[in-house]
Amino acid sequence: LFLFSCQKQETKTIILSKASENYVKWMENDNTIILDAYTIENTDSILAFADGIILTGGEDINPLQYNDTVNLPVCEGFDLGRDTLERKLFDFAFKNKVPLIGVCRGMQMINVASGGTLYGDIPTEIGTEVIHRDNGEVDHQIVLTDTCSLIFPNGTDTIMINSWHHQGLKIIPNHLRVIARAFDGLPEAVVMDKSVHPFMIAVQFHPERLGKENVIHQTMKSSFYKEIRK
């Protein structure tokens, strides 16, 4: 008599602050539910099930979120409801140690929600040594300033990434560590100290649009899933 045990993998729930097809395709997996927080009125009803959260890309964050009025004229549209929603998602993830990824605007929101500030417009404040957007998405190199196997493959120091933003991290809280920069010095990836949060990573570029064969696309998804399945 032979007995076979077949244990079904536990279903996990990932919450996107605002979903798009690229983010869903990036994170879709068997036994995973992906929810779009932007379309759900009662956020509390889904946060109770959150195994992981992703703050996605999008429009500029209202500079009043970081007590700045100078940047108001250079910002390109706001979504005050989204600002509030993503603050709530960040606060929940931070308090409850839920794994969190920030992408582009999401990285900026992690910085702002942690007490940091942003450059309002990179070309006018930093210059055009590196073009971070040009009527759409562009490619440029970044240099790794620290190691982080949660985002980048080991054994490399410069990587080509995609880019589509005109704002970036300016003042950065001590518990956020910059691990990659563009060649104009702009932060391109950060991680939160594990003493403060076990898994909070963010990038200024768009891994969800790099394609499933891209090593950063794969590495970030793999490390995220490893964490939410602990």
Side-chain angles (χ1 to χ4, degrees), residues 119 122 126-132 138-145 152 156-163 165 178-189 204-205:
Y119 290 107
I122 294 165
I126 296 180
T128 56
E129 177 187 351
V130 176
I131 303 299
H132 292 272
V138 297
D139 295 330
H140 67 76
Q141 282 193 324
I142 62 174
V143 59
L144 273 58
T145 57
F152 300 110
T156 185
D157 55 1
T158 58
I159 297 177
M160 186 69 72
I161 53 89
N162 54 357
S163 180
H165 62 103
V178 178
I179 60 169
R181 294 182 185 270
F183 280 90
D184 58 4
L186 195 75
E188 292 282 348
Q204 186 58 69
F205 50 92

Side-chain angles (χ1 to χ4, degrees), residues 53-79:
I53 296 173
I54 301 178
L55 303 182
T56 59
E59 57 280 297
D60 293 344
I61 296 168
N62 188 330
L64 296 180
Q65 290 275 338
Y66 47 98
N67 301 315
D68 185 318
T69 56
V70 176
N71 279 344
L72 281 168
V74 299
C75 288
E76 300 173 356
F78 302 130
D79 185 336

